[in-house]
Amino acid sequence: MKLNKNVARVPGMLTVLAIALAGFGQVHAAGVTDQDIVNDAITTHQVLSNGLGTKGQRYTPLKQVNVDTVKDLVPVWSFSFGGEKQRGQQSQPLIYDGKMYVTASYSRIFALDAKTGQKLWKYEHRLPDGIMPCCDVINRGAAIFGELVIFGTLDAQLVALNKDTGKVVWREKIADYKDGYSFTAAPQIVKGLLITGNSGGEFGVVGRVDARDPLTGKLVWTRPTVEGHMGFTYDKDGKAVENGISGTTNATWPGDLWKTGGAAPWQTAYYDPDVNLIYIGTGNPSPWNSWLRPGDNLYSSSTLALDPASGKIVWHYQNTPHDGWDFDGVNEFISFEYKDPKSGSVVKAGGKADRNGFFYVNDRTNGKLLNAFPFVNRIDWAKGIDLETGRPIYNEEKRPGNPFLQTADKPADGAAPAADAQTKGESVFNAPSFLGGKNQMPMAFSPETGYFYVPANEWGMDIWNEPVSFKRGAAYLGAGFTIKPLNEEYIGVMRAVDPVSGKVVWEVKNNAPLWGGVMTTAGNLVFYGTPEGYLKAVNATTGEEVWKFQTGSGVIAPPVSWEENGEQFIAVVSGWGGAVPLWGGDVAKRVNMLEQGGSVWVFKLHKS
Ligand code: CA
């Protein structure tokens, strides 16, 4: 293992390293270590983390497949997830010791021989009838640690399986699915802890980040993401000890609304070892109807930086204070460096393409806003972001109308309205739609070009507010909506964004909304999938399309790459579904010809 750690830091030696390791069957006897995971971004023979490295840059230093050779990229194998139920496939595969671990819809996970696609084992989680996933029965991938592969299920459980046998080693409940909780993200291993969030912001759950011992599943700490809730650490007997309240009760929430405040961190957490912080985004405040909850409603629709030792919130930056559009703020915050054009000094930054249409650059050590600019063509809800205060400049007339102003029964601020108070406030048109300038599909960052590659969408929505009261396990929106395209020819746009200048450097339009993630490579390529079924490669500098392959169903998952015996492999999962067909209104009608699927594809260069 010493060889691995030391040699892996020299990029030129990577191929040699991979070949050397292939000869050492016993090297992996102890399984995946925390150091392996920290090194994931630079060790090219494996993919051990969601994001191809815990920073989540989704950049591979491999360059055998490059702008010149990619024309010879051909499929090696494909594997079907089978079953009668297909629906959306959003999983990022993991690669370890010649095996692929890939999750599928309906809380399934498969282990496959990475070279041949032969099935080694599968696990199908037994799901109860009453699960409440908001946005399809998807899963975004697993974590790997020691001898265990760990993934989350739609009934809000975590399951750890022996990586070689597929036998369940432990199973823990994150929360009660009957309350609207579910889990779809890929967990992340940070400093030997299993970091997870939860889903359920549409049901008035309480968002929470948890750290567990990955070998046992036992809780180490928990950090609620709604201001007013207490965090806890757990001693070795499992006894909860208070470790500080999150914020100040009622500082940004009226009355009791914080008790059902949402802010679900439903995406993967990322970790930057340089500054020792975990970054995770939080979803919408509950309910969507913002007239019921005056205030900023911390820590909803925010980027949070957490101390891995305790979960303490070290800093927060709220992208959409008092969110009234379900913009969430769950988009990934990706660490990167750039040279300050004025001082010439290197800035430790993070970038985030928010659902609300703005691209944010924050100082990742303290959260200070450094830059914010639109990455979509139309934004209605705000005129811009004030770089001094860090707050949006709202277009107040673009907040959906107050349903209670139209009734004699208008409640006092924060009070629940009478059930029969009013039916519908004024409907307003907003872009982006709540499906976002970018949604769950992760972007990529290339340290070589300095660009972020953002899978964006151009669409808007009619949105209005209605009275609503909280009922356990029931949708808690207080809003209605219809999603609408903005253009005839396209909705999706792959954009190369320069985070320093705030300029879009190039873009490639796509008819259907983009819903898969991105990977960029040292071969100057950007790989991404389309709902029309293509995995595409474009030139990272120019956006010129250089390769594509039809996978047979829509691609809404992020690609990965690794090397074995001197050959570079690329994999992506295919299977159309996700939130667009379920919530997409007029857009869903436009793309209703797309077929479901469920498979994983692997590619390498054809040797002539
Ligand atoms: Ca939401």
Side-chain angles (χ1 to χ4, degrees):
M1 292 307 282
K2 276 222 171 68
L3 175 74
N4 182 357
K5 286 171 204 168
N6 298 334
V7 178
R9 295 194 174 278
V10 186
M13 294 290 285
L14 290 175
T15 306
V16 178
L17 169 73
I19 293 166
L21 281 180
F24 284 91
Q26 294 312 304
V27 162
H28 298 308
V32 177
T33 66
D34 196 52
Q35 198 58 43
D36 293 339
I37 289 167
V38 167
N39 288 340
D40 191 33
I42 50 171
T43 45
T44 48
H45 59 289
Q46 52 200 19
V47 177
L48 302 180
S49 58
N50 187 272
L52 286 81
T54 62
K55 290 183 183 179
Q57 289 186 342
R58 296 183 187 275
Y59 167 83
T60 174
L62 291 171
K63 51 188 173 189
Q64 185 179 73
V65 178
N66 58 48
V67 172
D68 297 322
T69 61
V70 68
K71 61 181 188 317
D72 296 324
L73 194 61
V74 293
V76 186
W77 56 262
S78 173
F79 175 85
S80 169
F81 297 142
E84 291 170 27
K85 299 165 173 177
Q86 297 188 326
R87 306 202 66 100
Q89 313 292 350
Q90 295 186 345
S91 178
Q92 182 218 288
L94 298 177
I95 307 292
Y96 180 66
D97 206 12
K99 298 186 181 84
M100 173 186 286
Y101 301 94
V102 59
T103 63
S105 57
Y106 293 98
S107 303
R108 292 175 289 169
I109 182 166
F110 296 84
L112 309 170
D113 182 315
K115 236 177 173 172
T116 64
Q118 187 195 328
K119 185 170 81 176
L120 304 173
W121 55 258
K122 80 167 165 181
Y123 168 81
E124 293 197 41
H125 191 70
R126 185 179 295 200
L127 289 167
D129 287 337
I131 53 168
M132 283 179 262
C134 73
C135 308
D136 204 2
V137 288
I138 59 99
N139 184 279
R140 300 199 175 92
I144 185 165
F145 188 77
E147 305 288 343
L148 302 180
V149 178
I150 305 160
F151 83 118
T153 62
L154 292 161
D155 59 345
Q157 293 192 47
L158 288 163
V159 183
L161 308 115
N162 179 286
K163 66 181 173 51
D164 299 319
T165 65
K167 292 269 182 311
V168 174
V169 175
W170 59 259
R171 198 185 273 132
E172 290 286 335
K173 194 162 111 174
I174 296 172
D176 193 338
Y177 73 87
K178 292 183 189 126
D179 290 339
Y181 288 90
S182 57
F183 191 81
T184 53
Q188 191 78 280
I189 300 286
V190 175
K191 297 185 97 175
L193 295 174
L194 180 76
I195 306 296
T196 56
N198 58 38
S199 305
E202 274 56 57
F203 301 94
V205 304
V206 175
R208 214 176 71 218
V209 182
D210 292 338
R212 291 168 193 272
D213 179 343
L215 298 180
T216 64
K218 296 293 171 239
L219 272 171
V220 175
W221 54 255
T222 184
R223 173 57 51 191
T225 53
V226 181
E227 183 169 49
H229 290 267
M230 186 63 73
F232 293 92
T233 49
Y234 297 84
D235 67 18
K236 60 181 189 333
D237 303 319
K239 196 169 145 260
V241 182
E242 290 184 356
N243 78 354
I245 193 168
S246 303
T248 307
T249 310
N250 285 135
T252 62
W253 287 91
D256 281 345
L257 278 155
W258 59 279
K259 292 179 179 169
T260 51
W266 54 264
Q267 290 267 60
T268 293
Y270 293 101
Y271 172 66
D272 174 20
D274 295 347
V275 300
N276 192 33
L277 289 172
I278 294 170
Y279 301 110
I280 195 162
T282 54
N284 60 284
S286 298
W288 287 15
N289 179 346
S290 62
W291 299 99
L292 289 168
R293 42 174 176 76
D296 279 356
N297 314 135
L298 290 175
Y299 298 92
S300 63
S301 303
S302 300
T303 302
L304 301 185
L306 308 181
D307 174 4
S310 66
K312 188 183 143 214
I313 298 172
V314 176
W315 60 257
H316 70 274
Y317 175 80
Q318 194 171 36
N319 302 89
T320 313
H322 198 217
D323 184 355
W325 305 267
D326 185 40
F327 282 143
D328 284 39
V330 291
N331 304 87
E332 64 285 1
F333 180 82
I334 301 306
S335 300
F336 75 106
E337 276 80 42
Y338 69 91
K339 228 175 219 160
D340 184 85
K342 284 181 202 144
S343 68
S345 57
V346 174
V347 181
K348 283 181 194 276
K352 176 174 178 175
D354 199 279
R355 250 160 78 166
N356 71 20
F358 290 99
F359 193 101
Y360 296 82
V361 179
N362 295 76
D363 182 327
R364 71 175 187 267
T365 66
N366 59 23
K368 185 181 182 304
L369 184 66
L370 301 172
N371 201 3
F373 53 88
F375 67 93
V376 293
N377 289 339
R378 176 170 173 173
I379 296 178
D380 286 83
W381 69 279
K383 297 180 185 75
I385 309 296
D386 184 329
L387 292 182
E388 287 301 311
T389 64
R391 292 182 69 89
I393 305 154
Y394 295 103
N395 276 325
E396 281 303 342
E397 72 278 11
K398 287 294 185 174
R399 187 174 292 277
N402 185 346
F404 313 114
L405 280 182
Q406 301 171 25
T407 169
D409 306 328
K410 185 192 171 196
D413 273 356
D420 60 350
Q422 183 45 269
T423 51
K424 183 177 170 181
E426 187 200 351
S427 177
V428 291
F429 184 82
N430 263 280
S433 77
F434 70 82
L435 288 176
K438 186 179 94 56
N439 201 293
Q440 53 77 31
M441 53 287 194
M443 62 186 181
F445 174 78
S446 167
E448 299 193 27
T449 63
Y451 302 153
F452 279 94
Y453 300 100
V454 182
N457 288 310
E458 299 283 350
W459 45 20
M461 63 179 168
D462 290 324
I463 182 168
W464 60 90
N465 284 162
E466 299 158 349
V468 67
S469 48
F470 178 76
K471 222 181 278 157
R472 178 181 179 241
Y476 188 41
L477 301 185
F481 47 83
T482 307
I483 307 261
K484 296 180 166 177
L486 294 175
N487 304 289
E488 272 305 309
E489 324 78 64
Y490 72 98
I491 299 167
V493 203
M494 176 56 60
R495 290 193 164 117
V497 170
D498 180 341
V500 183
S501 70
K503 296 259 181 348
V504 172
V505 181
W506 55 254
E507 65 178 32
V508 181
K509 291 173 178 146
N510 196 71
N511 185 264
L514 293 178
W515 211 253
V518 187
M519 175 179 70
T520 184
T521 81
N524 201 34
L525 293 170
V526 172
F527 284 91
Y528 67 98
T530 70
E532 289 89 341
Y534 288 102
L535 178 64
K536 292 189 173 192
V538 300
N539 182 308
T541 313
T542 64
E544 183 200 354
E545 185 178 299
V546 286
W547 179 85
K548 69 176 174 182
F549 179 84
Q550 173 58 247
T551 66
S553 180
V555 178
I556 55 170
V560 296
S561 187
W562 71 99
E563 68 172 344
E564 189 178 337
N565 293 334
E567 287 186 301
Q568 182 181 356
F569 292 84
I570 288 161
V572 75
V573 161
S574 170
W576 171 241
V580 174
L582 296 173
W583 295 74
D586 292 353
V587 170
K589 284 180 209 151
R590 192 189 271 196
V591 295
N592 66 7
M593 73 298 183
L594 298 171
E595 301 290 353
Q596 294 182 7
S599 59
V600 56
W601 287 87
V602 172
F603 306 87
K604 69 173 185 177
L605 293 181
H606 173 68
K607 281 186 199 154
S608 53

